[in-house]
């Protein structure tokens, strides 16, 4: 499984932001701008909370398993892999959505005199922040579930045969 790359997420964010900004300009020239829903930052924040809770739970279970505590509940490798895939997918979607709302928010900055558009700009900004939270939680989850490297792989040699 490949690791998340911040470069990829940043590229998705920037491309979505530029396209969204251009789309907002065009849409506003044709009539009214679509609304940024209040639910957008709330849903993104809930996803970030779920990812963070999953990462903290897995970290605690893995630590208990490593320390061989009595009654420690192990972590199913397939479940950990699914959690990482969920985190990676969430991070990609969050980068896309945050870029879209970021581009719209940048366009709305020129309309801050209008209270309705100011509220939309605030919702867009909160959506970007919540999207960054999702990405940070996904990176943390991925770090928690990462397997420790073999000493032999780090040295680049083969394991000695006894």
């Amino acid at each position: 499984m490949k690791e998340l790359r911040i470069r990829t997420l940043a590229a998705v964010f920037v491309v979505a932001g530029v396209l969204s900004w251009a789309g907002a300009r065009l849409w506003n020239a044709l009539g009214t701008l679509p609304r940024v829903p209040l639910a957008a930052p709330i849903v993104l924040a809930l996803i970030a909370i779920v990812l963070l809770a999953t990462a903290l739970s897995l970290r605690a279970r893995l630590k208990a398993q490593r320390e061989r505590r009595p009654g420690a509940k192990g972590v199913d490798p397939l479940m950990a892999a699914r959690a990482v895939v969920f985190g990676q997918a969430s991070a990609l979607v969050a980068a896309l959505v945050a870029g879209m709302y970021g581009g719209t928010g940048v366009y709305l900055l020129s309309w801050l005199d209008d209270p309705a558009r100011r509220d939309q700009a605030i919702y867009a900004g909160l959506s970007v922040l919540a999207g960054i939270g999702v990405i940070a939680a996904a990176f943390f989850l991925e770090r928690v579930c990462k397997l420790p490297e073999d000493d032999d792989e780090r040295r680049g040699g083969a394991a000695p045969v006894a």
Side-chain angles (χ1 to χ4, degrees):
M1 182 180 313
K2 290 187 176 182
E3 292 183 12
L4 277 176
R5 296 194 181 268
I6 195 72
R7 219 177 302 147
T8 303
L9 296 174
V12 169
F13 177 82
V14 169
V15 168
V18 168
L19 291 175
S20 178
W21 174 80
R25 285 189 62 188
L26 178 65
W27 200 303
N28 193 48
L30 296 175
T32 62
L33 191 64
R35 300 186 59 81
V36 177
L38 175 60
I42 294 170
V43 169
L44 286 170
L46 288 175
I47 292 170
I49 290 168
V50 167
L51 288 172
L52 184 62
T54 302
L56 292 173
S57 171
L58 286 173
R59 185 176 71 168
R61 288 172 59 187
L62 287 169
K63 183 179 179 186
Q65 189 176 4
R66 271 192 310 273
E67 294 173 353
R68 301 184 192 271
R69 291 185 194 155
K73 189 175 178 184
V75 176
D76 179 27
L78 187 58
M79 195 260 316
R82 286 178 180 159
V84 171
V85 169
F86 172 64
Q88 289 179 345
S90 298
L92 284 168
V93 170
L96 178 68
V97 170
M100 288 174 27
Y101 287 129
T104 303
V106 167
Y107 177 74
L108 287 171
L109 289 177
S110 61
W111 299 88
L112 291 179
D113 297 337
D114 181 15
R117 296 235 173 156
R118 182 176 49 243
D119 290 344
Q120 297 300 302
I122 291 170
Y123 298 157
L126 291 174
S127 297
V128 171
L129 290 176
I132 291 170
V134 169
I135 292 169
F139 272 110
F140 180 60
L141 176 61
E142 186 176 70
R143 186 174 153 266
V144 164
C145 292
K146 187 174 183 178
L147 292 174
E149 291 185 38
D150 253 352
D151 289 334
D152 298 328
E153 287 179 12
R154 262 187 271 153
R155 281 183 268 160
V161 179

